[in-house]
Amino acid sequence: MQFIRSLLFIPANREKMLAKAAALPADGFILDLEDSVPPAEKVAARATARRYAQSIGGRAWIRVNAFDSGMLEDDVRATFGTPGLAGYLIPKIDTVEQVAALDRLFGELERAAGIAEGATEVILIIESARGVLFAHPLATASKRVASLIFGGARDADLMNDIGCAWSSDGPELMYARQHTLLSARAAGIACALDSVYADVNDADGFRRDTVLSRRLGYRGRTVIHPAQIEIANDVYAPQPEELAYYRRVLDAFDAAVARGQASTTLDGRMIDVAMAGAARRVIAQAEAFGIRYCPLSA
């Protein structure tokens, strides 16, 4: 999965909203069949999701209903093979047995369609205490797991399961937020995704929380309103001063290597192969978003 800074939820029964999606600057879209769709409209929403996923062109993911709903398999079978579909979001998942069941279902559908087995990617949403505790086994239970989403929205499932209060930067969910990220990174997942920020009218609070998210190590998040997209895209993207600094890091390191040295200093800081690796990661992330290095003016 490529880096995603902003992944916007859109209810799959809201055609007016879906019709506007392709023009929005989000890196990806979640066509939601789960919580935002009333029970009476879920079956019809499958066809709507399939239709609009094709028009969005490679940026669409479908969130199916959870295992315990009894609808997950029907959701998948009704939408599998949609041209341009990036993959599936799986909510409320907390056992490796559930991941194994997903693997079997998608494997069956891939073989029947003549698609390479394992090609269908899934993102797991961590929304329970058990899910947090076993986040790493979940992330490594199948090669088709592309990412984890920390499900720490205010008053949502994880908060209620733990029984804690909520704050953006307080201790209540911080361990769960960090553990989910560390589990994803330990599993080799480059782009774990942070939770939605529920107060869509609090742009300043959303920006502060997104800055904190990036400091923790997240490089993208789910969003629930178009107004949050540009803030997320801006905060998670490498900034010009970062790119300028890391370009200098690589230049200094390459010069040291050319001299037969394994390390050097830059602005009083030691530079070795680890720092050069960090610089390459940031520059690669910027290039993935079409952001090119441009020297800052003197």
Side-chain angles (χ1 to χ4, degrees):
M1 186 183 82
Q2 294 182 340
F3 283 106
I4 292 176
R5 297 165 297 181
S6 54
L7 194 57
L8 176 68
F9 276 99
I10 305 177
N13 63 328
R14 303 288 295 276
E15 293 202 46
K16 288 184 178 180
M17 296 174 68
L18 291 165
K20 298 176 182 178
L24 294 173
D27 290 334
F29 301 91
I30 304 163
L31 311 189
D32 188 25
L33 298 176
E34 197 210 11
D35 287 348
S36 65
V37 178
E41 298 183 35
K42 287 185 181 289
V43 172
R46 294 169 183 160
T48 306
R50 185 180 180 97
R51 185 165 70 254
Y52 280 96
Q54 298 179 57
S55 69
I56 293 171
R59 291 188 290 162
W61 298 75
I62 290 177
R63 179 168 75 166
V64 297
N65 286 279
F67 270 94
D68 62 6
S69 72
M71 292 182 283
L72 183 150
E73 183 170 343
D74 289 340
D75 288 343
V76 169
R77 291 187 181 277
T79 56
F80 184 83
T82 300
L85 185 64
Y88 290 86
L89 269 68
I90 315 298
K92 301 177 179 65
I93 192 159
D94 57 13
T95 72
V96 294
E97 290 78 13
Q98 290 171 328
V99 180
L102 286 171
D103 214 26
R104 290 192 296 271
L105 173 59
F106 284 115
E108 172 202 328
L109 294 171
E110 288 164 345
R111 289 189 295 273
I115 299 171
E117 193 161 350
T120 307
E121 292 189 333
V122 298
I123 299 175
L124 309 181
I125 311 178
I126 305 302
E127 301 181 81
S128 68
R130 181 181 175 88
V132 171
L133 187 62
F134 295 106
H136 184 259
L138 292 171
T140 56
S142 170
K143 292 183 178 179
R144 67 176 75 249
V145 176
S147 189
L148 302 180
I149 293 175
F150 170 62
R154 186 171 189 169
D155 295 327
D157 294 285
L158 178 58
M159 176 181 156
N160 289 318
D161 192 34
I162 294 174
C164 64
W166 184 92
S167 64
S168 171
D169 57 356
E172 299 91 348
L173 285 170
M174 190 58 69
Y175 169 78
R177 195 176 190 180
Q178 292 178 299
H179 183 79
T180 301
L181 172 67
L182 289 172
S183 297
R185 295 297 298 126
I189 293 170
C191 187
L193 297 167
D194 207 351
S195 177
V196 301
Y197 187 87
D199 189 346
V200 298
N201 294 318
D202 184 8
D204 290 340
F206 177 70
R207 179 175 286 275
R208 287 193 300 272
D209 189 70
T210 304
V211 169
L212 172 61
S213 172
R214 190 181 180 205
R215 288 177 59 199
L216 291 174
Y218 284 99
R219 291 297 177 263
R221 74 184 305 162
T222 49
V223 297
I224 55 174
H225 192 279
Q228 296 177 327
I229 295 172
E230 290 190 2
I231 295 174
N233 287 353
D234 175 54
V235 172
Y236 287 119
Q239 301 300 304
E241 58 271 20
E242 286 182 276
L243 293 176
Y245 170 73
Y246 283 120
R247 184 67 262 172
R248 291 175 60 220
V249 167
L250 285 184
D251 289 344
F253 180 74
D254 289 343
V257 171
R259 295 192 300 268
Q261 300 172 349
S263 64
T264 186
T265 59
L266 177 68
D267 300 338
R269 300 177 186 173
M270 186 188 75
I271 304 296
D272 64 12
V273 66
M275 290 71 174
R280 292 189 179 94
R281 176 184 58 77
V282 172
I283 291 170
Q285 183 188 358
E287 291 178 348
F289 299 133
I291 302 169
R292 301 297 177 182
Y293 164 69
C294 180
L296 297 176
S297 58

